[in-house]
Amino acid sequence: MARFTLPRDLYHGKGALEALKTFQGKRAMICVGGGSMKKFGFLDKVVAYLKEAGMEVELFEGIEPDPSVDTVMKGAEAMLKFEPDWIIAIGGGSPIDAAKAMWIKYEYPDITFEEMCKVFGIPSLRRKAHFCAISSTSGTATEVTAFSIITDYNKGIKYPIADFEITPDVAIVDPDLAETMPKKLVAHTGMDAMTHSVEAYVSTAHCDYTDPLALHAIKMIQDDLVDSYNGDMSKRDSMHNAQCLAGMAFSNALLGIVHSMAHKTGAAFADKGAHIIHGAANAMYLPKVIAFNAKNPEAAERYGEIADHMKLGGNTNEEKVKLLIDYLRKMNDDLNIPHCIKNYGADSYPAEQGFVPEDVFLERLHDIAVNAIGDACTGSNPRQPSVEEMEKLLKCCYYDTEVDF
């Protein structure tokens, strides 16, 4: 038996934010990140709509990119004081992910972060509050997923929390919010969405319910992402839908080792002055992982189906896999994303020498590989790597060398 879970309600299209007027409750806690939602007036709209619905409203502001365990604990403490019956998270993946983790801690104050990270091991929520997610970026799709990514900065590791319990009750997918994204964010979130779709389609947990969502999202991203990056707002609006479809697919089909590697390298070099941004990491690693997974005949067949859906050509699966890899690398070029860690600059743009020194990478390689193998996303990858193979794959992602194993 398998399970397919999505939010009960999904409001989409321009003006969808107004759905908040219809919510029923007494108190709403709004979780938000930096200043962009306030700057563009969306936060004020959310507050006004909730007050129009008759609710008392409190804000928890300043949730950082790559939210920390500490932020989660502070947010949960604020919720325990205010006692909201609605948690409203607005912004990119970070505030929504943080709010999901806060929600768990709010409902179960004694739960530890380690217990929260047990895959599909969270007790039943919604005893105290319901959850609404409003996405402002077109990539993470956390507004419809059973996942949250929280960073333990003491360990330099990003941990995925995975459980259908944290799938939001309501998702609001309003393209007006996505139109405010800066260009670099469009690129990174867009390739995150592409990775979600591709990994969901080849995952060992894929099914008839997830495959159409993944394939349609891939075609939409192929058609819309680069133009969205170059300022076409109609394509920007379309990408907001595409990333949400990708999220519906991967939340139920799960992911693979592209995400395992991105989770475990993202904060691993923070002491060198920067993070490897999640979407950029996915974009760099995806072609390498496709080459690795394609040694599995069933995975190669499914990558071939993706290439066919994208109308890339090729007669054999081997040819189709190569064309798919080449296409994705060209997308990275068009989006100004590096091909490897060695050339990943501290600003995320291609650089002759990136911010991660070779000796530091090699010194930390084994631990990163072990952590990636243990990541929640590894289990549904179509080819299970050994630690040695993961090390070799990570080296390919550092040097941009061919995957021949």
Side-chain angles (χ1 to χ4, degrees):
M1 182 176 70
R3 179 175 175 178
F4 185 87
T5 300
L6 295 174
R8 182 183 183 279
D9 293 301
L10 194 155
Y11 298 95
H12 59 96
K14 286 183 173 289
L17 210 57
E18 290 192 36
L20 292 166
K21 294 178 182 179
T22 67
F23 283 25
Q24 295 182 351
K26 295 179 179 178
R27 286 179 295 279
M29 171 80 81
I30 300 173
C31 300
V32 67
S36 64
M37 290 298 95
K38 183 178 288 187
K39 174 184 175 183
F40 293 107
F42 295 116
L43 183 58
D44 288 343
K45 282 186 178 181
V46 169
V47 171
Y49 291 151
L50 290 169
K51 286 184 175 178
E52 190 174 334
M55 292 195 217
E56 184 183 349
V57 178
E58 185 169 298
L59 302 181
F60 185 85
E61 299 183 80
I63 297 170
E64 73 274 34
D66 301 309
S68 66
V69 177
D70 287 345
T71 296
V72 168
M73 298 306 166
K74 288 174 184 173
E77 190 177 329
M79 289 176 186
L80 286 164
K81 289 178 182 174
F82 184 60
E83 298 184 336
D85 46 20
W86 273 101
I87 298 166
I88 313 290
I90 179 171
S94 294
I96 298 173
D97 280 4
K100 285 180 176 180
M102 293 170 190
W103 183 24
I104 301 167
K105 185 73 174 173
Y106 169 50
E107 299 236 357
Y108 294 93
D110 294 332
I111 198 169
T112 65
F113 181 67
E114 289 71 25
E115 289 170 333
M116 289 162 62
C117 291
K118 290 178 182 174
V119 179
F120 294 99
I122 293 170
S124 296
L125 299 179
R126 297 165 180 83
R127 303 177 314 157
K128 295 181 180 179
H130 289 280
F131 193 99
C132 171
I134 308 165
S135 178
S136 67
T137 61
S138 301
T140 67
T142 189
E143 73 274 8
V144 293
T145 75
F147 297 93
S148 165
I149 308 298
I150 304 298
T151 303
D152 185 332
Y153 284 92
N154 292 325
K155 296 180 180 177
I157 295 176
K158 294 184 179 183
Y159 288 95
I161 299 172
D163 198 291
F164 287 120
E165 283 297 319
I166 60 171
T167 304
D169 299 289
V170 179
I172 296 179
V173 184
D174 189 329
D176 286 340
L177 280 70
E179 291 182 7
T180 66
M181 283 193 295
K183 198 169 183 178
K184 181 164 74 173
L185 192 58
V186 171
H188 294 161
T189 56
M191 288 308 293
D192 192 17
M194 178 63 95
T195 306
H196 291 156
S197 309
V198 173
E199 290 211 290
Y201 194 73
V202 301
S203 160
T204 58
H206 78 86
C207 67
D208 290 340
Y209 294 87
T210 60
D211 285 352
L213 293 165
L215 283 178
H216 191 57
I218 288 167
K219 192 68 175 72
M220 289 179 74
I221 296 165
Q222 179 188 18
D223 292 343
D224 298 335
L225 176 54
V226 174
D227 287 340
S228 170
Y229 176 74
N230 290 321
D232 184 329
M233 287 301 158
S234 65
K235 298 295 183 99
R236 184 78 55 86
D237 294 354
S238 181
M239 272 299 302
H240 210 40
N241 289 334
Q243 64 86 32
C244 189
L245 295 174
M248 294 178 187
F250 91 78
S251 186
N252 292 279
L254 309 180
L255 292 165
I257 59 172
V258 179
H259 273 77
S260 302
M261 294 157 67
H263 293 154
K264 303 320 182 196
T265 54
F269 310 102
D271 58 320
K272 299 302 170 185
H275 279 209
I276 301 176
I277 296 171
H278 180 71
N282 283 337
M284 293 189 295
Y285 307 163
L286 180 59
K288 304 302 184 189
V289 169
I290 290 174
F292 175 79
N293 284 342
K295 303 294 191 294
N296 174 299
E298 185 178 343
E301 177 77 24
R302 292 188 71 78
Y303 287 131
E305 291 169 6
I306 291 172
D308 288 343
H309 195 70
M310 295 173 73
K311 296 180 169 55
L312 299 183
N315 296 312
T316 66
N317 283 330
E318 187 177 358
E319 290 175 356
K320 292 173 185 179
V321 167
K322 185 181 185 307
L323 288 166
L324 177 59
I325 289 171
D326 290 345
Y327 189 92
L328 293 168
R329 287 177 65 88
K330 173 66 164 54
M331 283 190 82
N332 287 347
D333 288 336
D334 291 342
L335 299 168
N336 207 16
I337 296 173
H339 288 297
C340 62
I341 299 170
K342 182 181 178 182
N343 299 129
Y344 184 93
D347 58 1
S348 83
Y349 292 124
E352 191 170 332
Q353 178 56 58
F355 83 94
V356 181
E358 182 180 23
D359 60 334
V360 173
F361 172 80
L362 293 173
E363 179 187 321
R364 300 179 188 180
L365 174 62
H366 178 74
D367 287 347
I368 292 171
V370 170
N371 289 331
I373 293 288
D375 189 87
C377 295
T378 299
S380 46
N381 195 69
R383 183 181 172 197
Q384 288 297 302
S386 65
V387 173
E388 182 185 3
E389 287 171 329
M390 180 59 79
E391 288 183 11
K392 289 168 71 175
L393 191 53
L394 284 161
K395 280 186 177 179
C396 291
C397 293
Y398 185 86
Y399 297 107
D400 191 21
T401 48
E402 292 296 319
V403 177
D404 58 1
F405 55 93

